[in-house]
Amino acid sequence: MFLDKLMSPKTAVNQNLDIVMSNYQTNKPGDDNNRTSDHRNREEFEETPTWAAVVTVLGYAILSALGWLRDFLRHIVVFTRSKQISYECFYTRNLYTRIRDVFNQPIASVAGAKVHVMERVSDDYNWTFKFSGKKIPSINLGSYNYLGFAENQGPCSEQAIKSIETYAVTTCSTRHELGHQRYVKELESLMAEYLNVEDCIAFGMGFATNALNIPTLAGKGDLILSDKLNHVSLILGARLSGATIRTFNHNDMKDLEAHLRKAIISGQPRTCRPWKKILIIVEGVYSMEGSLCKLPEIIELKKKYKAYLYVDEAHSIGAIGSRGRGVVDYWKVDPNDIEIHMGTFTKSFGSAGGYIAGKKNIIDYIRVSSHSACYSSSMSAPIVQQIISALSIIMGRDGTNDGQKRIQQLACNVRYFRRQLVDMGFIVYGNNNSPVVPVMLFMPAKIAAVNREMLKRDCAVVTVGFPATLLTESRVRFCISAGHTKEMLDHALKAMDEVGHLVSLRYSKKNPHHRWVELDHADYDKEYTS
Amino acid sequence: MTLNDHPTFLRHKLSYTYKNCHWKTMLSYIRRFFKFIHWLYLQYLLNTALYMLEPWERLLFSTLLFAILSTALYSALVFLPHHVRSMIQFYS
C-alpha cells in the first residue's frame, strides 16, 4: 500500500483499464466503429516490479542519509568545493549535482538525425565543468525532430534565407501595433487549411501560447478539468486564469465523468451557482509517457455534459495520423467537435512558436484580447517561412511526395524501434504508435550510468528523473525521427542491448528477455515497410 | 607428401592446436570471470546508488555494510547450533 503511493497513479489505471474498456464497449450501441477495442488504443503501462521499487527507495534513502552527513559536515567544516553554503534545496545540492554532467549537455552542430555533443570534464564532482575540446558525433535520440525538418540544407532553409532578404529578421513590434505581417497571415490561413478548421492564430513561443491564452478563455467562475500529467505550460495557464482547477487521473474516462457529474450537480464551491463553463484540457501525446489521449470518448463525454474541449497537440501534430494531421486525424473525429486546437511548431516543423485554431469567432476574440498578441513581439520572418515551407512539403503542395514519405518513414521507424525494445524485455510505456519511447530505469544511479554508457557508444539520449517524472519512475526517453535510417536505429538498438545487459534494465515480466539479434532485410521489409 | 607422413603431420598439428586452444580458452575463461566480477560490482554500485557517490562515501557505506553483515554472520555461526539444539530439546 505504501509502495502504491510512490508508484504512479497509472498502476491503478492499468488494473482498471480492462474494466473501463469493456464498459465502454457495451455502453455504446450507437457507435459502429467500436474504436476503443481496435489496435489504435493499445497502450501499455506495465506495472513496476516490487523489488525494483524497494531497491529504488533504498537507494534514495542511502543518498538522503549521506546527503545529511555532508550537510552536517558543511555546517561544521566548510568544504573547499562549495565555497559558501548555498540555500538551494537539499535535492539539488545532493542528488542533482552529482549527476549534473548528463543534463544540459551543450551541442556543437545542427540537432538533426546526428549531433555533435561537446565533451565536458569535471575535476570537482560536477560543481564546475571544463570543455575538453573534443566533439562526439552521435546519433541524436533526444531532439523532437519527428519529421526530420531540423536541417541546415534543403528547400526549407533556402526559402528561409530568401525571406530574410525580403522581410528582414524582425518587425520590432507587437501584433497589435505594426507586427501583423503578410507572412503571418499566409501561415495562419495555411495552418487552418491543414487542420481543416475555420481560422488559426500563431504566436512566437509555444509555452507562452498556453500560459497566456488560457487566461483569455477561462476566468473566475469557470471550471478547468485537466489531466494529472499535463504539461507545465497548461498548469501555469490554468493557474493564471483564476478558474477552479480539478485534476482527473491520466486517461481515466470514468474519473473524468465522475468529476463532470459532481461539478454539474454541486456547482461552484461556496455559492452553489452553476459553473459559467467547464473546460477540459488534454494533450494529444504526453511527452513523458508516450500515451495518446482517448479522444472519441472525451468528445462523447463533452457532448453529453455540454463542456468545452482544449486539445494541446504539441507533440502529435505532424507526427501522428496517416496524413500527419495529429490526433484528430489518428482517431478520425470531426475537428468541429473540438473547440480549441492548440499546437506548437517546435517539434515536427523544425521551427519555433505555437498556434491556436478553431472556429472563427473564438479566434477573433483571442486576436483582440490575448496577452500574447498585445504585448509580445510578433513572429520573425525566417521562422515563419520555415514553417510555411515545411507545411507545403507535408501537404504535398511543392509537387513531390516527400511529405508523405517522411510521415510513413516515421511511422515505420516508430513501430520497428518500439517492437525491438519490447522484444528485448525492457519496460516501454505508451501507445505503439507514439514517436516518444520512454524506457523505464527506476533507480537514480542508472540515470547517470545509462546516459554515460550510451554516449560512449555514440548515442545521445535524454534521461529524466525527478522532478520531471515521479521520484521512483526515472526513465530514458527516445524520440524517433523520420531522419533516422534503419542503420542508425540498429546501432542504437545494439547500444541499448549492451547497456541493458551492463546496467540490468530488463525488468519486464510480460515479455521474455532476449539479446538483440539483427533482423535480416527480407523480414524487415515484409513486416515494417509493407 | 606420402601416406606415412600425413597421419604424423596431422597428429602433430592437432596436438599443437589442441594445447594452444586449451591455453587460450583457459585465459578467456579467466578473463570472462573477471568481467563477471566487475559486472557484479557494477550492479552493487548501481542498485545501492553508490555509483553517484564520491570514493570516501563509498568506502564509508561499504565498511558499515560489511561490519553489519559480518557481525550477523559471526553470531549466527557461533550461536545458532546451540539455539537449535536447545529448541529441539525443549520441544521433544
Side-chain angles (χ1 to χ4, degrees):
Chain A
M1 286 300 114
F2 165 66
L3 288 171
D4 278 344
K5 282 213 189 106
L6 287 171
M7 290 192 266
S8 75
K10 279 192 302 300
T11 51
V13 170
N14 202 22
Q15 286 153 12
N16 291 334
L17 198 63
D18 295 323
I19 309 170
V20 170
M21 275 168 60
S22 61
N23 218 352
Y24 270 94
Q25 279 170 30
T26 51
N27 282 353
K28 290 190 297 179
D31 188 11
D32 46 359
N33 274 352
N34 213 3
R35 290 183 182 113
T36 53
S37 65
D38 63 22
H39 69 281
R40 284 179 291 200
N41 200 31
R42 189 103 43 80
E43 290 201 345
E44 280 292 312
F45 292 105
E46 193 176 327
E47 238 185 275
T48 313
T50 319
W51 66 267
V54 169
V55 172
T56 313
V57 173
L58 275 178
Y60 275 110
I62 294 171
L63 286 171
S64 310
L66 280 160
W68 282 324
L69 178 67
R70 285 185 76 100
D71 279 352
F72 176 65
L73 289 175
R74 273 191 194 108
H75 193 69
I76 58 171
V77 175
V78 177
F79 270 146
T80 52
R81 194 163 303 131
S82 51
K83 295 187 185 65
Q84 70 277 355
I85 301 174
S86 65
Y87 295 105
E88 280 176 280
C89 69
F90 180 81
Y91 174 83
T92 317
R93 211 172 30 237
N94 290 308
L95 275 76
Y96 181 78
T97 314
R98 291 187 198 272
I99 50 174
R100 206 159 70 107
D101 63 311
V102 306
F103 304 123
N104 298 337
Q105 289 175 338
I107 59 176
S109 75
V110 166
K114 292 208 167 150
V115 72
H116 289 257
V117 178
M118 298 193 71
E119 200 186 20
R120 299 186 288 184
V121 289
S122 172
D123 301 319
D124 52 358
Y125 299 103
N126 295 342
W127 285 93
T128 57
F129 289 112
K130 274 198 284 280
F131 288 114
S132 74
K134 189 165 152 225
K135 296 193 182 129
I136 310 173
S138 41
I139 300 176
N140 186 2
L141 289 164
S143 288
Y144 305 131
N145 181 16
Y146 297 134
L147 288 177
F149 279 115
E151 45 199 17
N152 54 0
Q153 283 150 357
C156 292
S157 51
E158 283 164 23
Q159 287 169 17
I161 293 172
K162 266 203 224 101
S163 77
I164 300 183
E165 289 161 17
T166 325
Y167 291 110
V169 174
T170 171
T171 60
C172 299
S173 173
T174 67
R175 278 294 285 276
H176 282 181
E177 290 168 14
L178 272 181
H180 191 71
Q181 271 275 16
R182 208 184 331 173
Y183 50 77
V184 181
K185 248 179 116 165
E186 192 189 330
L187 170 65
E188 288 173 0
S189 60
L190 201 58
M191 203 63 203
E193 202 185 316
Y194 182 71
L195 295 170
N196 203 7
V197 289
E198 281 177 28
D199 200 4
C200 169
I201 175 174
F203 300 99
M205 190 177 152
F207 188 100
T209 309
N210 271 331
L212 299 179
N213 287 306
I214 297 182
T216 53
L217 297 166
K220 210 152 174 291
D222 296 337
L223 175 65
I224 292 184
L225 285 170
S226 86
D227 196 298
K228 268 216 167 81
L229 299 174
N230 267 343
H231 192 250
V232 174
S233 56
L234 294 164
I235 298 175
L236 185 63
R239 284 193 190 151
L240 278 175
S241 68
T244 313
I245 310 172
R246 303 225 173 112
T247 57
F248 61 94
N249 292 333
H250 177 64
N251 267 352
D252 190 355
M253 297 301 115
K254 273 207 159 307
D255 199 24
L256 177 58
E257 184 164 12
H259 274 280
L260 276 166
R261 289 176 83 94
K262 203 169 86 154
I264 293 177
I265 291 170
S266 13
Q268 294 188 28
R270 275 178 299 115
T271 55
C272 292
R273 286 204 204 127
W275 295 101
K276 280 199 259 170
K277 61 170 157 313
I278 299 182
L279 186 63
I280 305 174
I281 302 185
V282 286
E283 283 190 45
V285 167
Y286 291 89
S287 62
M288 276 301 153
E289 327 289 316
S291 56
L292 265 65
C293 67
K294 300 201 180 95
L295 212 47
E297 287 147 41
I298 298 183
I299 288 181
E300 221 187 272
L301 275 178
K302 168 198 101 104
K303 283 185 183 160
K304 186 170 165 193
Y305 294 102
K306 297 204 182 66
Y308 299 113
L309 185 57
Y310 182 112
V311 175
D312 177 350
E313 293 201 54
H315 286 267
S316 54
I317 190 76
I320 304 267
S322 55
R323 288 182 314 153
R325 315 272 161 131
V327 275
V328 170
D329 185 31
Y330 181 80
W331 289 112
K332 309 240 182 320
V333 294
D334 184 12
N336 291 326
D337 284 338
I338 302 172
E339 272 72 42
I340 315 267
H341 305 246
M342 179 266 165
T344 58
F345 299 121
T346 327
K347 280 92 187 179
S348 303
F349 301 108
S351 183
Y355 68 86
I356 289 191
K359 291 245 156 48
K360 192 165 187 326
N361 45 8
I362 302 181
I363 302 297
D364 283 343
Y365 176 71
I366 294 180
R367 269 187 221 281
V368 166
S369 59
S370 160
H371 294 287
S372 182
C374 184
Y375 294 111
S376 63
S377 89
S378 61
M379 291 176 85
S380 160
I383 291 181
V384 174
Q385 189 56 47
Q386 158 79 20
I387 309 169
I388 294 176
S389 324
L391 265 177
S392 347
I393 293 180
I394 296 176
M395 288 161 79
R397 293 280 166 91
D398 61 334
T400 65
N401 66 342
D402 191 31
Q404 201 57 31
K405 268 207 294 214
R406 280 180 197 251
I407 296 172
Q408 278 164 1
Q409 176 71 25
L410 175 66
C412 178
N413 281 354
V414 163
R415 273 180 302 144
Y416 177 60
F417 199 73
R418 268 185 177 268
R419 179 67 187 279
Q420 297 296 310
L421 279 181
V422 166
D423 282 344
M424 279 202 258
F426 296 114
I427 295 187
V428 180
Y429 275 8
N431 196 305
N432 282 343
N433 293 320
S434 84
V436 173
V437 185
V439 174
M440 301 308 289
L441 300 177
F442 300 120
M443 284 144 218
K446 296 193 181 180
I447 303 174
V450 164
N451 202 308
R452 289 176 195 154
E453 294 295 324
M454 289 294 274
L455 199 58
K456 271 191 216 158
R457 291 166 176 82
D458 293 337
C459 291
V461 296
V462 168
T463 46
V464 279
F466 188 78
T469 63
L470 292 173
L471 193 65
T472 51
E473 291 199 351
S474 38
R475 58 200 74 178
V476 52
R477 184 187 65 180
F478 297 102
C479 292
I480 310 295
S481 157
H484 288 138
T485 59
K486 182 172 177 293
E487 288 77 45
M488 290 188 210
L489 290 182
D490 284 342
H491 184 96
L493 283 167
K494 186 152 165 279
M496 194 61 197
D497 176 48
E498 283 170 20
V499 171
H501 175 70
L502 197 65
V503 173
S504 66
L505 293 178
R506 290 178 158 89
Y507 295 110
S508 174
K509 286 198 199 131
K510 284 192 200 159
N511 309 3
H513 302 175
H514 289 310
R515 296 306 298 260
W516 184 68
V517 171
E518 189 173 338
L519 223 59
D520 62 317
H521 219 76
D523 287 335
Y524 173 77
D525 284 336
K526 191 162 61 108
E527 206 170 323
Y528 295 104
T529 53
S530 53
Chain B
M1 280 279 180
T2 64
L3 203 62
N4 289 338
D5 287 334
H6 259 275
T8 51
F9 173 68
L10 276 169
R11 196 158 51 97
H12 197 255
K13 192 164 183 237
L14 272 171
S15 65
Y16 175 74
T17 51
Y18 177 67
K19 263 197 238 139
N20 204 7
C21 73
H22 198 74
W23 178 67
K24 270 210 171 111
T25 51
M26 273 266 290
L27 201 64
S28 78
Y29 280 143
I30 293 176
R31 208 171 286 152
R32 281 218 306 231
F33 179 69
F34 278 126
K35 268 201 175 150
F36 178 65
I37 297 293
H38 184 71
W39 182 83
L40 272 184
Y41 177 61
L42 194 62
Q43 299 313 302
Y44 165 67
L45 286 183
L46 284 171
N47 283 330
T48 55
L50 289 183
Y51 181 87
M52 312 168 27
L53 296 178
E54 298 174 22
W56 67 269
E57 289 163 332
R58 280 187 200 174
L59 201 62
L60 182 66
F61 180 78
S62 305
T63 317
L64 238 98
L65 191 69
F66 179 72
I68 292 173
L69 281 178
S70 60
T71 316
L73 197 68
Y74 176 76
S75 43
L77 280 173
V78 167
F79 292 112
L80 259 184
H82 178 72
H83 279 313
V84 169
R85 230 174 280 140
S86 56
M87 260 207 308
I88 291 174
Q89 253 186 354
F90 182 70
Y91 281 116
S92 64

